[in-house]
Amino acid sequence: MDSVRFISIALGLLSAVLIALSVIYSSVRPGLELEEIDTTATADRVFRSYCGPCHGPDGGGTGIGVKLKGRKIDPAYVKRTVLTGNPKMPPIRNIHEPLLSRLAEYVNQLE
């Protein structure tokens, strides 16, 4: 009888742990990943591919992502937001310098 109770308690604890892990996992956003790490990639190509679907191909906004066109945004803020995302935007996880700086400059040149 004690072994049945032990197994029942163990299964209950295991279920609780699995539920907690699923809640934690579901709260982690996957982020976007560049298909290939290409240090020669152009900022406009990265913008069109990864930013354009939400911010518009010209940065004019879409209703999903905010308008970036015509705004002057601190390049450090652009870089941080690209790398970490925000509540409405997934991060681009594997973008590195100098492409990240070129993308921040590109965003500020949208007119």
Side-chain angles (χ1 to χ4, degrees):
M1 189 73 161
D2 286 338
S3 63
V4 172
R5 183 176 172 159
F6 174 78
I7 291 172
S8 176
I9 291 171
L11 288 175
L13 288 173
L14 180 61
S15 296
V17 168
L18 290 175
I19 289 170
L21 287 174
S22 69
V23 167
I24 292 169
Y25 180 75
S26 67
S27 69
V28 176
R29 294 178 304 149
L32 302 173
E33 301 234 3
L34 295 177
E35 291 178 11
E36 57 189 54
I37 302 298
D38 181 0
T39 57
T40 64
T42 59
D44 64 323
R45 189 176 91 203
V46 171
F47 184 88
R48 284 193 312 270
S49 297
Y50 294 94
C51 309
C54 296
H55 293 285
D58 65 347
T62 64
I64 298 171
V66 299
K67 176 183 173 186
L68 300 173
K69 187 178 188 176
R71 295 176 64 192
K72 298 301 177 201
I73 305 168
D74 179 15
Y77 177 80
V78 173
K79 290 182 195 182
R80 185 173 55 252
T81 304
V82 166
L83 290 174
T84 62
N86 66 37
K88 294 183 179 182
M89 185 184 112
I92 300 176
R93 297 216 186 269
N94 60 345
I95 187 170
H96 302 287
E97 292 293 351
L99 182 55
L100 182 58
S101 287
R102 291 195 309 257
L103 181 61
E105 290 171 19
Y106 180 82
V107 166
N108 278 305
Q109 293 173 2
L110 294 169
E111 293 295 330

